[in-house]
Amino acid sequence: MDTVDPGKPVPLAVIIGAHGVTGEVRLKLFCDSLDSLKAHKTFNGGAFTLKSVKPHKMGAIARIAEITDRNGAEAARGTELSVPRSALPELGEDEFYHIDIIGLRCVSDAGEELGKIFAIYEFGAGDVIEIERANGKKFMVPVIAIDMSGDPAIVEAEFVEE
């Protein structure tokens, strides 16, 4: 991918709420496993220290040293836990981090301007990319129908929705 910013931190999770009253937080993971998250002890340039993390049906439950009560956990909702790109393993030729393709311009293989990649969803049967048009309308395309090796990403025309 040509558009990677080596200085941009890579989010591995986001805090989605409190868990209990002692400051534990619920996490939505952006990495492939808890082990990928556990490999890092500090996030956001040292602002957050991971004390423990365990699986949960909606992602993970974590204890962060700087969050000591439910109020702190609720206040942290929406906070991404990021690490420098240099702390992550090298990617293979056809691999990418989600952060690198969010906002990537998309065109169809017929030349139609489509918009930008808005989100990536993992449904189990295959990843799906959500594309947002300039007018705000969104549509979804399976990852296998998109060539994301350059800028813009090329989407197979038969998957394009009006």
Side-chain angles (χ1 to χ4, degrees):
M1 170 134 322
D2 306 339
T3 60
V4 173
D5 178 357
K8 188 174 187 179
V10 178
L12 298 184
V14 64
I15 298 172
I16 59 173
H19 180 78
V21 296
T22 61
E24 286 185 313
V25 294
R26 291 182 295 123
L27 300 177
K28 176 181 178 184
L29 300 178
F30 300 139
C31 49
D32 59 356
S33 69
L34 279 182
D35 290 336
S36 296
L37 190 66
K38 288 178 187 177
H40 307 280
K41 297 298 177 211
T42 62
F43 298 88
N44 301 24
F48 295 105
T49 308
L50 185 66
K51 291 175 71 175
S52 66
V53 63
K54 59 188 175 189
H56 185 263
K57 62 183 175 187
M58 300 294 279
I61 302 294
R63 183 166 298 282
I64 297 172
E66 295 76 13
I67 300 175
T68 59
D69 60 19
R70 184 173 183 87
N71 290 338
E74 286 294 344
R77 182 188 304 261
T79 301
E80 289 182 339
L81 300 178
S82 301
V83 297
R85 183 176 297 275
S86 61
L88 297 171
E90 288 291 320
L91 292 173
E93 187 174 319
D94 290 332
E95 294 180 320
F96 54 86
Y97 293 114
H98 289 188
I99 192 74
D100 296 334
I101 64 166
I102 301 294
L104 184 63
R105 193 171 132 247
C106 298
V107 297
S108 75
D109 58 6
E112 177 188 1
E113 187 70 36
L114 300 176
K116 294 184 177 192
I117 294 178
F118 179 77
I120 303 164
Y121 302 103
E122 299 171 10
F123 292 119
D127 294 351
V128 176
I129 300 285
E130 186 172 30
I131 298 171
E132 182 175 36
R133 292 186 176 272
N135 65 8
K137 290 189 178 189
K138 298 175 187 161
F139 66 97
M140 294 184 170
V141 176
V143 167
I144 59 169
I146 304 176
D147 175 3
M148 292 179 279
S149 62
D151 186 3
I154 309 295
V155 179
E156 293 177 25
E158 63 249 36
F159 290 94
V160 174
E161 294 179 16
E162 294 303 318

